[in-house]
Amino acid sequence: MDINVAIVGYRMQSAPDLVTSRERLVFELTRGLFDDLGIERTDVDTTILDSNDFMDGRTISNVFIDPPAGVYMRDESKVEMDAANAVIYACMRILTGQYDTAMVVGIALTGSQASPYLYIEYTLNPTYERQVKLLNEVNAAAFQARSYIDRFGYSERLLDDIAALSLANAALNPNQARRISGITADKVAASAMYYEPLRELHCYPPTDGGCALLLASERKAKELTDKPVWIKGMGMSTETYYLGERKLYQSSSAAEAAQRAYELAGVKKPAQEIDVAEISALFAHQEPLLAEAMGLMGEGKAEQAYAAGETAIGGKLPINPSGGALGAHPVSVTGLMRVAEAARQLRGEAGDNQVKKAELAVVHGQDGVCAQQNAVLVLGI
Amino acid sequence: MRNVGIVGIGYTPVFVSKRKDVNISEMISEAVEAAFSNTGLGPKDIDAVVFGNMHTFEGVNLPHLWAADYIASLGKPLMRIATGGTTGMSAFHAGYYHIASGLHDVVMVVTYEKQSEGDSQVGLMGIITPEVMAMIAAGIDVTGGSGMGAIGGGSAGGISFQASSYLHHSGAGIEHIDEQAALERRNAAKNPYAHLKDPDATAEKVAQTPLVSWPIRFGHICPTSDGATVAILASEKAAARITEKAAWVHAVANCASDATTANLIESQITDPAEHLPAIIASRQAYERAGIADPKKEIDYVEIYNGFAHQALMYLEKIGMCEVGEAHKLQEAGELEMSGRMPVNASGGVVSTNAIGTSAMNRVTECALQILGQAGEHQVEKDVHKAVAHGWGGMMQYVTITVLGDKPKKD
Amino acid sequence: MGAPEETYFTPVVPMDFTYNYRVGPYITRYLDGFKDKKILGSRCPGCGLVAVPPRKYCGVCNKVMEEMVEVGQEGTLENFTVGHVTIEKGRLAPAEAPYVLGLVKLEEATSALLARVGGIAPSEVRTGMKVKAVWKDEAAGDYDDLDHFEPV
């Protein structure tokens, strides 16, 4: 089926600590978006909010961000998972023909939390993992990293190279929170060891951030912008919760999600057809791991690809030219920021992060320990 | 827009105070098993799963991740929706949009709450954490009288403002709230999936329960329940393969207001019984469903009434009768299962409240009435069209679903 | 578009959240097994998966696992990490000393069990090592009874 829904505008912000309130952040993002497009809140037919109550520290966290998002006596619902999924839901709503415009807003003040990792601890089975107190998101990722590099016989240096590339891109991007000047693989390798083989700079930084997008039907999109970014494909999938039963060196759910998105978009050879990828890799090794699952990189070819600069901004298939989630990870917003960053590329607005040819992009968001759930979108101009 | 029908429903075998015998995921799986066994469908028939609950109540974040293996979702899209008390219906709406969009054909919606595992009142107070913190910082004792007054004393406290305003505007008395609670507990006695059942409930008996905060008595208030509900939705084409008779979605709508309409914080400038979102969402739903006069065209109503007066109040808000008329219909016996406008034959939320399921059960109960599968609590009149209502958030969020016995014609 | 500096709270919320997590019949039997220093799993009637700890559903087959089986006390270290930090109550902090966590595939089990690995210097740990369960002297039917695994 043809989707014919476009992204017509975006706003995003992130910082280690935005020193702001949730309400002010939402207001600035959405008011900014309305101003960019010359519209008012009443021009938004439906809104999908995305925040996590545990991260927000409030039960039913959408209640208080409705008004600053302009949702007063209007339609709204909330997706509570990575906001790439909220884009998919908003798109579904437009596809019914019932709405012409749909806004997606995601916020998370993860960086300014006193305990940024508590959110993921509370996702664990309360009758087992939470009582045994051994598993957390970072050590699970360390197992995944070990499994991945052992599988293909890579050296741990690969992790440093991946992180250095992402962080160098992030340093160029005003939307990112972790911007380190003069980053090198050696500096990554000198950062604090967390869980072997993962060091601090291989891991996402807990970050404050938010992002707002406006989607529109084909008719409305042409009214609102002369640079629409079309949603061409979408897919989601889920795998088992049980870490000890997964092949950690691969991501079956990312592969299934991508397959669904490519099928809708008519993409047959992603590695050849896709111009740019924005992947929610929360840890350095997840970038090639997920890129393989999404058909963007050959299995076992990661060392070669990074050594040859294939994924760099000027490379054959740039991955995370924005700097990705190693530059900012406001929980649940990260996938939405990937969508916005891809739109930024496709509209030629990416400044120092701009890749040369950007006509077809793939974006990705994830939830759960070791990316138990994945969402993939294909965007194009 | 594509038509979407409800082709299967599954409940946990019981809705009770404490399911001590199973953990959260095990309990949820019982409703999935029931939906599969009721329809003869299996995991291979399901294209996507939507999941909803109010997770701060049990203190399990994103519980769909742990439950994934128990709800036939592996290898499938799985979307989590959360909008507070309305979550069940918001999840149902998401399932509807999955199919109406043309992207999927058969979608399973899974909702649950296991309230015995957490503290619901503390969970609810979490809505206003920053406000409570500001009060503590200002030296106000939030557990004492003045603090509780300012924050409305939790859900029941806040609701009492709404109930007293409703009584004032409608001309109804506290005895009508007593009778509504009694009526629904009597209905609940005929519903195997209801929690608080009393075949002999009377207004007089309810009136003897302690006053919590005038005019709300203990007997007007919902229980906290453990239970799960699953609905399987299908496109017209897929439904024809699965069942001979489905309950069809004619419209969905919802509306959010702002938190001050709860009349609890920031100011007391609005009337908590005004509930404009209910009026806006229901009008929008009727318009989408092609219903000109809901009073005449709708045969059955399920209202989300955590508190007994809300059945009466929302009947007026959603246009099923005039303002000040609901309690008169009650006096005339029209709201009973044998009446002309039966309401909450299921026993309503006031009898059963596993929160994540509560707004979903309003829809599934309407569907059972349309399908003629409500068993002992089947109403006497034929049900061709029904409306389901949910409220949540900070008393500022309303969801509406209109169902019919035939697919909607464009 | 920077926000002006303003008053904000960083509260540690003094609300008392109490949870009572029912473990269900599978974990109950698992912990009962611990009293006798036995490790139990559940077997899927579809694919034959033996999951440790046991649980009701095999998600892949969507089948109820009714059969309980005792698995071996020895197994293979499939994967490990050396922790240099701890994450407790959502906060990451340096660990007092490096420690080893492993994914152990027990004999007769299909799933790998996350456990502490001791009795060996962290730098000596290798994947593929044979390890065995080390129990607390007095098993009380708690998760803590199974203290760690050490090289055979």
Side-chain angles (χ1 to χ4, degrees), chain A residues 12-16 166-167 169-179 205 207-208 278 320-330 337-338 341 344 353:
Chain A
M12 60 185 142
Q13 250 195 61
S14 77
S166 261
L167 290 168
N169 292 348
L172 302 172
N173 186 350
N175 299 320
Q176 289 284 20
R178 180 153 74 186
R179 301 174 69 191
T207 315
D208 285 1
E278 281 287 340
N320 288 332
S322 69
L326 295 192
H329 179 47
M337 289 177 77
R338 303 278 71 69
E341 287 287 357
R344 197 167 153 253
N353 302 91

Side-chain angles (χ1 to χ4, degrees), chain A residues 56-256:
Chain A
D56 198 82
R58 298 193 285 205
T59 305
I60 327 177
S61 50
N62 49 325
V63 165
F64 289 87
I65 57 175
D66 276 337
V71 181
Y72 176 69
M73 303 302 174
R74 299 190 72 73
D75 184 274
E76 175 258 313
S77 195
K78 188 181 107 176
V79 167
E80 198 164 45
M81 58 197 300
D82 183 86
N85 299 281
V87 178
I88 293 176
Y89 187 22
C91 188
M92 284 177 186
R93 285 186 160 211
I94 291 178
L95 283 174
T96 62
Q98 189 163 276
Y99 302 107
D100 269 326
T101 54
M103 182 165 71
V104 180
V105 185
I107 61 152
L109 300 188
T110 311
S112 49
Q113 296 277 325
S115 29
Y117 298 96
L118 199 57
Y119 147 95
I120 202 82
E121 183 182 324
Y122 271 75
T123 65
L124 301 177
N125 174 352
T127 72
Y128 186 70
E129 279 88 4
R130 251 165 82 187
Q131 306 307 321
V132 174
K133 294 186 197 311
L134 293 178
L135 184 66
N136 63 52
E137 186 188 14
V138 187
N139 64 34
F143 287 123
Q144 190 186 31
R146 171 91 60 200
S147 171
Y148 180 71
I149 58 181
D150 282 0
R151 168 81 178 174
F152 300 109
Y154 297 142
S155 93
E156 291 179 18
R157 184 67 176 177
L158 174 64
L159 303 176
D160 305 334
D161 290 335
I162 297 166
L165 180 57
S166 261
L167 290 168
N169 292 348
L172 302 172
N173 186 350
N175 299 320
Q176 289 284 20
R178 180 153 74 186
R179 301 174 69 191
I180 305 167
S181 59
I183 188 74
T184 60
D186 285 343
K187 284 185 184 169
V188 173
S191 65
M193 184 61 89
Y194 280 1
Y195 290 95
E196 291 180 18
L198 294 180
R199 294 176 181 275
E200 181 185 358
L201 293 181
H202 298 140
C203 303
Y204 72 79
T207 315
D208 285 1
C211 182
L213 285 186
L214 191 74
L215 307 186
S217 64
E218 185 170 16
R219 183 184 65 77
K220 194 74 184 173
K222 287 176 177 163
E223 265 175 49
L224 289 170
T225 180
D226 46 17
K227 289 199 281 186
V229 171
W230 301 99
I231 295 176
K232 296 188 173 270
M234 323 186 277
M236 301 159 65
S237 198
T238 315
E239 60 197 282
T240 181
Y241 167 82
Y242 300 96
L243 211 60
E245 290 163 33
R246 285 197 236 161
K247 289 181 177 127
L248 290 177
Y249 55 83
Q250 58 184 203
S251 173
S252 62
S253 57
E256 289 154 3

Side-chain angles (χ1 to χ4, degrees), chain A residues 265-287:
Chain A
V267 172
K268 298 206 165 54
K269 293 180 175 169
Q272 278 89 55
E273 295 174 53
I274 299 285
D275 299 318
V276 56
E278 281 287 340
I279 298 174
S280 294
L282 308 186
F283 303 91
H285 67 278
Q286 288 186 346
E287 190 177 283

